[in-house]
Amino acid sequence: MSAITNNKQVPAWLSLGERRALRRRAKRSSGHLHRSNVTAYLMIAPMVILLAIFVIYPLGYAFWLSGHRISFYKPAVWVGLDFYRYVLSDPRFWHSLRVGLTYSAMTVPVGLFLALLLASFIKILSTSLASILKVTVYIPAVVASVLTANIFVLVYQDAGIANTIVGHLGFGPVVWLNDPSIALAAIAVPGVWLGFGISTLILLAAMLDIPSSYYESASLDGANAFQTMWYITLPLLRNVFVFLGVTGFTISLQEFLLPLIMTNGGPVDATLTPNLFIINSFRDSTPYATSFSLAAALLLFIVLGAISLLIFKAISSVKAVDG
C-alpha cells in the first residue's frame, strides 16, 4: 500500500489503528524526503559557492566595468554601451575574429581526423606496443606552447627542416612566417601538434568502451572496416565528438601564444587572433585602453558561447545506448 500524504484523506473503511499507522508512515516518508533534499543541497553548496565567487561575480563585475570609462588617474565614468560600439566599429576586431575562426577551422577538424586515425590504429595493436604509442602521442600535451613556438620558428627558418623538405621536392625556400597567405597555416601546424595527442587518448578510451558484440555482429553480417567505422564507431562516438569539438573550438579561438611568439600577429595582421588583438589593445597607449579591451574580451565571450551552441546544434548529443 502506498504512503499517504498529509493532503490526502485516509480511507474511512480502515480501522483506527490502520489509519494511525498510515499517517505515521506518511510522516516518516515526508521527513526522509526532506532530509534527502537537505543532504543534496549541502553536497552541491560548496561548488555553487565557488562558482558564484570565482565565475558569476567576476563575470557580472566585468560587464559592469565595461560600461565605464576607466582611467588610472580619474574616477570611472558611466558611458553605457559606448565601448561596445567602438569595438564593433573597429575593422581590426572583425579581422581578428575571421583569423581566429579560420585558425579554428584549420586545427580542430584536422586534429580530430588525425586523432581518430591514430586511435583506430592504437586499438588494433598489442598491449605493449599500444602502451608505448600512447605515451609517445601524449608528449605534445605536456610540452609548453612557448617551447613549441620557438621550436617551429627554427623549423620554418630558411635553412630549417621545412625548407629542406620542400627543397628535396624541387621547390625553392618558402618564407613560411613572412608570407600573409601561408603564415596562419604555418602556425596551425604546431597548433594541431599540441592538441591532437590528448584527443587521441580520449577517442581511444571511448572506442575501447564500445561493446565488442557490436563489431562481432557486424563481422557476421559481412561488414567491412569502412562500414563498421561509419555505422558503429562514429555514431557511438558522437558525444565524444561534441565534447572535443566544443572544447577544441573554444581553445583554438582563444589562441595567442603561438602567433604572439612566432609572428607577433603579422605579417600585416595575417595571424592577429582575437586574444592577441585584445592584448595589443590593452597595451595600447590610448587613455581608455582598459575599457576598450574589456569590452572586446566580453564580446569574444559572447562569440564563444554562440559557437558552442552552433556545435551542439550541428552535432546533437545522444544518451548512451549500452554501457
Side-chain angles (χ1 to χ4, degrees):
M1 185 178 295
S2 59
I4 299 177
T5 62
N6 295 329
N7 296 327
K8 292 184 179 181
Q9 296 295 328
V10 178
W13 49 266
L14 293 178
S15 65
L16 181 61
E18 289 174 331
R19 294 179 189 181
R20 290 176 179 175
L22 284 177
R23 289 194 181 98
R24 286 195 298 269
R25 188 184 306 172
K27 188 175 181 180
R28 287 197 300 268
S29 177
S30 176
H32 177 71
L33 182 62
H34 177 71
R35 288 193 298 272
S36 299
N37 290 340
V38 171
T39 303
Y41 291 141
L42 289 176
M43 292 181 67
I44 66 174
M47 183 57 64
V48 173
I49 294 172
L50 291 175
L51 189 67
I53 294 175
F54 295 105
V55 177
I56 298 175
Y57 173 74
L59 186 60
Y61 186 60
F63 274 105
W64 183 81
L65 279 180
S66 66
H68 289 76
R69 189 169 58 212
I70 304 172
S71 174
F72 291 106
Y73 309 103
K74 300 177 183 178
V77 178
W78 174 257
V79 294
L81 301 177
D82 285 357
F83 283 104
Y84 290 95
R85 288 193 286 267
Y86 296 154
V87 174
L88 293 175
S89 62
D90 191 337
R92 295 186 76 228
F93 172 73
W94 293 106
H95 173 74
S96 69
L97 279 181
R98 287 193 295 270
V99 171
L101 291 173
T102 304
Y103 176 82
S104 298
M106 289 179 177
T107 55
V108 177
V110 173
L112 288 179
F113 178 73
L114 293 177
L116 181 63
L117 290 181
L118 190 55
S120 302
F121 176 68
I122 295 175
K123 184 183 176 183
I124 64 176
L125 294 178
S126 62
T127 304
S128 57
L129 288 177
S131 300
I132 295 173
L133 198 53
K134 282 188 288 187
V135 173
T136 304
V137 78
Y138 189 70
I139 289 176
V142 298
V143 177
S145 298
V146 176
L147 178 60
T148 302
N150 284 286
I151 290 174
F152 274 87
V153 167
L154 298 176
V155 169
Y156 289 135
Q157 284 186 344
D158 292 340
I161 298 175
N163 275 322
T164 301
I165 294 174
V166 299
H168 287 301
L169 297 176
F171 299 99
V174 179
V175 284
W176 300 95
L177 300 179
N178 293 318
D179 186 346
S181 62
I182 62 173
L184 189 62
I187 291 177
V189 173
V192 171
W193 184 77
L194 282 170
F196 91 100
I198 190 168
S199 299
T200 300
L201 296 184
I202 292 174
L203 284 172
L204 177 62
M207 293 171 69
L208 293 175
D209 196 46
I210 297 175
S212 59
S213 58
Y214 292 176
Y215 296 105
E216 293 171 359
S217 299
S219 178
L220 292 175
D221 289 338
N224 56 35
F226 175 78
Q227 291 172 326
T228 301
M229 174 66 71
W230 185 259
Y231 292 107
I232 297 178
T233 305
L234 292 181
L236 292 177
L237 293 180
R238 184 182 300 177
N239 292 346
V240 181
F241 281 123
V242 171
F243 170 74
L244 293 177
V246 171
T247 55
F249 270 97
T250 302
I251 294 173
S252 60
L253 194 58
Q254 297 181 83
E255 180 62 63
F256 76 97
L257 269 177
L258 292 178
L260 174 66
I261 296 172
M262 297 178 70
T263 60
N264 197 25
V268 292
D269 290 344
T271 59
L272 183 68
T273 56
N275 268 354
L276 189 54
F277 167 78
I278 293 171
I279 292 173
N280 290 339
S281 300
F282 180 77
R283 295 187 301 182
D284 200 350
S285 57
T286 55
Y288 304 109
T290 302
S291 301
F292 183 89
S293 59
L294 182 57
L298 292 173
L299 285 173
L300 178 61
F301 169 76
I302 295 173
V303 170
L304 289 171
I307 291 177
S308 299
L309 288 176
L310 288 176
I311 295 176
F312 277 117
K313 289 290 184 181
I315 314 175
S316 58
S317 59
V318 294
K319 292 183 178 180
V321 178
D322 205 343

